[in-house]
Structure formats: C-alpha cells, structure tokens
Amino acid sequence: MTVASASKTPLLDLIKTPNDLRRLEEGQLRQLADELRRETIDAVSVTGGHLGAGLGVVELTVALHYVFDTPADRLVWDVGHQAYPHKILTGRRDRIRTLRQGGGLSGFTKRAESEYDPFGAAHSSTSISAALGMAVARDLNGKQNNVIAVIGDGAMSAGMAYEAMNNAGAMNSRLIVILNDNDMSIAPPVGALSAYLARRVSGPTYSGLRRFLRGFAKRLPSRMLEKRAMAVEEYARGLVTGGTLFDELGFFYVGPIDGHNIDHLLPVLRNVRDAKNGPVLVHVVTQKGKGYPPAEKSADKYHGVVKFDVATGAQVKSKPKAPAYTKVFAESLIKEARKDEKIVAVTAAMPAGTGLDLFQKEFPNRTFDVGIAEQHGVTFCAGLATEGFKPFATIYSTFLQRAYDQVVHDVAIQRLPVRFAMDRAGLVGADGPTHAGSFDIAYLGCLPGFVLMAAADEAELVHMVATAAAIDDRPSALRYPRGEGLGAPMPEEGMPLEIGKGRVIREGTKIALFSYGARLGECLKAADELAAHGLSTTVADARFAKPLDVDLLLRLARQHEVLLTIEEGAIGGFGAFVMQALAEHGLIDRGLKIRSMVLPDIFIDQDSPNGMYAKAGLDAKGIVAKAFEALGQNMRGEVVKLA
C-alpha cells in the first residue's frame, strides 16, 4: 500500500474561507502564517508578480481575517499588490497560480473576482477614501459592521490619503485604518514595551479614561483651559507612541506594534474592533519580503519579480533581443542633460520603473522623486519651468491621469514648457487595465498648445527625447510602450525632429496605413500580408498627433482608396484628429474609405501584451482584416455586404 506524502501545508489545506480560519485555536495561527508564506512564495515563483509586499503582511492578513468577520466586515487593501495571501485565504487558492495570466486572477484586488474584495485597486492611496464612504454608508443604513483600510507608508505620501483622513476625523465615523509601515522607518523601535502600550492604549480602560478626560476638559471654565487639558492627553500619548500627527487629523492613534507578532496583533485588533466611537489608526511595522531570505536581502525586497527558483531566489530572465524603451529613454535623457544643465527629471515614486534611477546616478542634484504625488509633481515641474529650467515629468501614462487638472491649469493654460515622458503607453500585459496607458492621446490632445509625439521604435524615441528638450515655448508629451524595442538601428545621438512632420516608411498605391506610435511594426507585417493578396500598401508613421502632419495626411487620402489610422489608445485620440482634418478639407465627401483602429470600448483584462493586442484587433491580423472590411471584401477577394 502506497502512503501519500504528508502535505507541507496541513493547516492551510483546511482553509477554504476565513470562516474556517476563525475555527482554529490562536496557538495554531503561527503555523498557519508560516504555511501561507510558503504557499505565496511558491505561487509567485510560478507566475511572477509582486512578492515582497505580500510576504510583509502575511501575519497581518491572518490576524485581520481571524479577528474581523469578513466579508461582512469590509477589508480594503490599498493598491492591492500585497493581497496575494488574502486571496489564498478567501477561496482563491485553487487559482492562485493563474495570477496575472490571461483568464486568471488579477494581480490586484478586484470586486468582480470575490466578495472579499469590496473595493478594486491598483493605484495607491485610495483605500481610506473608499473605506470612509463604506463606513458612512453603513451608518446611513443603520448597520454595525466594521470597515478596515490597510495602507502602506509609501501610499501615505499621497495627499489623497490625508484628505481622506482629515474628512474622516471631522466626521468622527467609526473607521479603522491600518498603517503598514514597511519602509520609511517612521516608527521607534518595536518590541514588548510598545506592544504593551499599544494594547493598553487601545483597550476599553484607557478609552474610557480618555473619554472622561475629554468630558472633564469640556466642563472647564474657559476654552483655553479645555484646549490645554486635551492637548496634555494627546501630546503625552504622542511622546510615547509617535501618533501626534494622526491625533491632529482626528484619529485615535495606536502603536507602533510588530506586524509579524501575532500575539501582539490579536489583542490590539480586538480592542479597536470593539471600540464604538471615532476613527482609529493602528500603526503596524512590518518588513518587506519577510521570511524569504533572497527577498530580505534584495534592495527592493523583491517588489516585483518574474518567475524565479524558490531555492536560490534566482529570477528567470530571458535575454532581450532589443533594448527596453525605458532604458533607451533614460540613456537618451542623460545624453541631453550632459549638453544642457537646465534639464531636470521628476518622477512620482517610480525612479526604477521610469529609468530615472540611471539618470539619478549621474545627476543626483537634478533628479527629484516627489513620492506618490503626481498632482504636486506636475505643478512642481511648472514652477521649475517658470524659472528657465527644462523639467521632464517622467510619469506612467496611467498615473498621469491622477494629475489632469494640474496639467490643464498649471501647465497648459500658462503654456509652460513642461515635457511629459509617458512610459507604459498602450496595453501593458500582466498588470491589466489599471496600468494600461489608454487615454493620454485623447486627454492631452484636446489641450491647446500641446505637442504630442509617439515613438514608433526605440530609435525614434532617442530623437523624440532630443525634440522634447528643444521645445521651449509650450508643453509637450512623448509616449512609449513597456518592453523591448523593435531592434531598430540606434543613432549615436538624438536629433530634434521637425515639429508636426511624419514620414513614409513604405510606398504603395491601394491602401494607406497611417500609424501613430509603436504599432508600426505590426503595420509593416500587415503591409506584407496585404501585398501578398495583391493590395499595394503604403505605411506612414505620423510621429506627431498634434500638430498633425496635414500635408502627409492629405496626400495619403488623395492617393489611396483605403486609409486606416492605427494607434495604441482609446477613441478620441489620433484617429479623431485625422477625421477632423479630413472633414475640414472635404476629403470624407469624396468616397474615401477610412477606418480608425483604436482600443475597443472595454477594459481589457490582463494577458500577455500580444494577447491583449490580439483581443483589441490591433495586431497585423486585425489590421489586414480591417483593410478587407473597408474594401467590402473578405480575404478570398469575395465581395461582402457591409452592415
């Protein structure tokens, strides 16, 4: 008889939902946390993804689901990239190895995925606002459930978090905020004493005494004496706990406590759960990558990883065939900055993701990381521009959305020469729709005075960085995708392009493909296939969406039967600019068959970039199909009646 090998995760195997977790004895939770950490490491080694943040909150995740009655109690994770352990405990363990894959689990929290994800997130600093909304809705409905927001210290660098806390403190709604402090070292040393103090301060005895003292203070004969008495209590506690700032915002501060010590976490969480008045902030100190030595030793604590070997931590990285756009941008900006001391670079908490870590090594005094504060970052750049500097606001397309009013009010209206370098343009793969740069062509193209550029390949990006550096009388933006370039021959240095002028890559007579951005490679493939069907095809690279190369556009329209525009953006962008120009020149009236190929009117879930573009119909196959559709034929040359 063959005996099955013992499971490495016997307790975790019993957990299908948090209800099962709550049946365990407290003494079993340490073992469960260890098993949960092992399962998280093993799963991410297969899928890749965010690892360090999740490992840092394993014990906190176990404690939260053990103490609170989720999903009736709402648990909101800020960003959501640390929620893999949460997903494992909430009925998704059987799918955890589909993380970030096509048809699989999202790498972030997602309402459509589980009732245990009450709020979807992938951008930071939204949790307290959302949780406050849930808490107020609870009060209006006359319910008693708890609402908990878990937010990291990095996310607390965004103004939105403080706006929410200020509002929550003023409203005095019952809300619990867990500050997961894993990086900034804002806490004093954490140990038995601080755990004891946190337990005492959060308990009913101290809370009752605090209410008594505040009531007593309000009965003092003068407002000044009342304020002084209340200040004594707050600042005395602040000296011990470090929570004076949060008290000033109206939160009752508890902590700091060791976020990896379940015996410290449970009594404090129970106390704040049972407190019946006002918002509470629990300061928990954790370590990114906790429990996995390769992550603990890594500089970024394995924040984001590809597939890796669990035993060694070695990540499986394929050898690139061409340089990554991000690196090309950084190296090009460095070359421009060597020639011009007025060039400075600004990022919002993404120095490595945007390549500005390379720029910072050479120009530490000309690199500015403003934290997760895109609004401030854009206006900061505007201020720099007023004094003659040449700021490159290097922000992902999807994150620049968070600063749109500043782009309009502080940059565009004043016609300040801020240069927006937008990484992650178009569809981005595993991070899914929250990180796709789908809308910047439309949301910047409608602003008067902007110059909009999109790199068709890595060589063009070099020239566009030089072009942006040279534009000093108005705002400009250049967009480029995530991932590798096309293998284009690289220039020694960038040369400024003529503003508003495109280029013809291949001449034809029947069909014109007018590309804006990095779909140019797919357009060339499509042209080859169309030529094989006897359809002579021109391929043109617009380079600029604004100002548009109208002369080139009119030539394409007059000399071809079919004109397709292709872009990695939503409706209202490059194709709309082309349609407007054609309409103004009367060319739509003359039988021209024109189609605009844009991202479809849906949010496309995570998949490989190629898979996502295939779904969007923006690959070579989709372009060929659209050309035949415009001709009213199928690919066999048979006439098809248009709907």
Side-chain angles (χ1 to χ4, degrees), residues 40 48 68 104 162 208 254 299 347 352-353 364 375 385 392 433 465 571 594 607:
T40 301
F68 292 96
Y162 293 97
V254 178
T347 183
Q375 290 176 299
F392 277 75
V465 171
I571 190 171
I594 180 168
D607 201 340

Side-chain angles (χ1 to χ4, degrees), residues 242-259:
T244 304
L245 168 64
F246 302 110
D247 272 315
E248 290 297 317
L249 289 169
F251 274 70
F252 184 66
Y253 173 91
V254 178
I257 57 175
D258 184 349

